[in-house]
Amino acid sequence: MSQVASQSGAASTTGSECTFLDSVYKMYDQALACLSLPHGLPEKLKQCHAVYQVRFPVEIQGKIEVFTGWRAVHSEHRLPSKGGIRFAPVVEQDEVEALAALMSFKCAIVDVPFGGSKGGLRINPQHYKDSELEQITRRFARELAQRGFISPAINVPAPDMGTGSREMAWIADTYQRMNPTDINALACVTGKPPTQGGIQGRVEATGRGVQYGLREFFRHEEDVRMAGLSGGLAGKRVIVQGLGNVGYHAATFLQHEDNCKIVGIVEWDGALYNHDGLSVETVAAYKYANGGIKGYPDAEYVEDGLSLLEAECDILMPAALEGQITRENAARIKAPLIAEAANGPVTFEADEILRSRGTVILPDLYLNAGGVTVSYFEWIKNLSHIRFGRMERRHEENRSQQMLSVIEQMTGQSVPPSLAREFISGADELDLVRSGLDDTMCKAYREIREVFWNREEVNDLRTAAFIVAIQKIARTYIEMGI
Ligand code: GLU
């Protein structure tokens, strides 16, 4: 197949490629070189404020197993500190610290008034029954809550890789039982099921944010031209890595609502390619039924999945793990635009190579901030104890109905019922979440591009995004006094 690179593209994170944490630090340093901050502040803004490591035993089928987990707090200039908890067989303290740092910058970029944090538990969730996972999650939550690493005012976890609304419901319930008199207890964690204090639209929020971010990018002709592309999102060929929560939703929305063509899907057991486009839902259903994508009928199967990252396309969307595009494969990436739906998919070295080749990267700290943005809405909802839109919706509808009647009376014509329904209907929680997220992603991108286009020394959107974030956090520290 001509479009798929024949060379092996196995990404390597070994050798002297810098670690995820070093990558984040170097990216931060690069942006810092363009700023002049008061002495000592750069160091404070760079490293984690606190890291808690815990080892706890759980009795599983008559045997005691010991689990290791972390919660890193990167910044507390705003409280609570916010960030997901990941369950994965390979989790390191370094990785959790890197992710916590990204959370601080992410929150600053989208003006979410939180510090940055992240948690991780070393576990392969597939090896445990649901009831065992519940026991482990509850114990981990208790360990963190006991030491102030979970609380509505101080530290609020959310889903991340390997966790979802189910785990968040367990965490919320555990915290509530430990703090029965705390009326705001439900705000101790976000990403809960809507029936347990969650908010509509949180599950798909990160994917939605990726879509809104890409839409905003394509509204700026100069930026699109910089990537060697033209026109809007419609018809763009996309390769997505990872059909997890983020990749699945982002790809589905881009396919159905923006007419993108998903030509490639990279998964853990290989990749699929179809020049005419793949149906994301069908591939996801196949993966769900078979445990992987191998054997999927309507596509070319590529055993060395990572090599598909190097295939021709307009947008490459890594939505899986960190460290997927490294100095080993960066020079072979053909996509002119990389949309970082995952956290840290491009290493610092790869970033340098890609920049020198003119590849445009929409950086993670901006593009995947949709999740934490909607988490913020959920936290606000929990603190206000009322669903968004509940008070005003009917009032809004009555006003629109009155306005419509006036128009009909004055023109002597009646508005067709389907149009009238659309005109009258007031915003519900999901509408409000979507409009809040859309607005947030648009505004944040405009701030980043302003730095990019107006500062001589800034040559890429990542550095511009870091500058925006560092400036906002630094201002807070300076104003409040360190
Ligand atoms: N885990 C998500 C992230 O990496 C969401 C964090 C949150 O909602 O707090 O952005």
Side-chain angles (χ1 to χ4, degrees), residues 82-86 99 103 106 114 118 156-161 190-191 202 206 343 368-376:
K82 191 82 187 78
I85 290 187
R86 121 177 342 192
L99 290 161
M103 283 310 303
K106 215 186 278 193
F114 292 150
K118 201 80 172 201
V156 179
D160 200 78
M161 198 188 294
T190 59
R202 175 61 186 86
T206 312
N343 286 312
N368 71 32
V372 75
T373 302
V374 177
S375 276
Y376 171 49

Side-chain angles (χ1 to χ4, degrees), residues 392-422:
E392 57 274 43
R393 182 170 171 189
R394 184 51 56 92
H395 178 71
E396 224 181 83
E397 290 186 345
N398 290 343
R399 294 288 296 200
S400 306
Q401 178 65 67
Q402 281 165 4
M403 212 164 10
L404 199 67
S405 307
V406 171
I407 294 170
E408 286 183 334
Q409 269 173 30
M410 290 181 74
T411 59
Q413 300 201 356
S414 57
V415 175
S418 66
L419 261 185
R421 253 196 314 276
E422 213 175 294

Side-chain angles (χ1 to χ4, degrees), residues 22-49:
D22 282 338
S23 266
V24 174
Y25 283 170
K26 286 188 175 172
M27 288 165 180
Y28 169 88
D29 287 341
Q30 201 163 264
L32 200 70
C34 308
L35 295 166
S36 69
L37 295 186
H39 185 72
L41 193 55
E43 224 21 55
K44 163 85 194 127
L45 263 53
K46 186 172 174 177
Q47 286 172 3
C48 275
H49 182 74

Side-chain angles (χ1 to χ4, degrees), residues 214-220 224 229 231-233 236 315 337:
L214 274 165
R215 279 185 182 173
E216 182 57 23
F217 173 83
F218 275 92
R219 282 188 194 112
H220 301 275
V224 176
L229 293 167
L233 262 175
K236 295 289 178 287
I315 305 170
L337 177 63

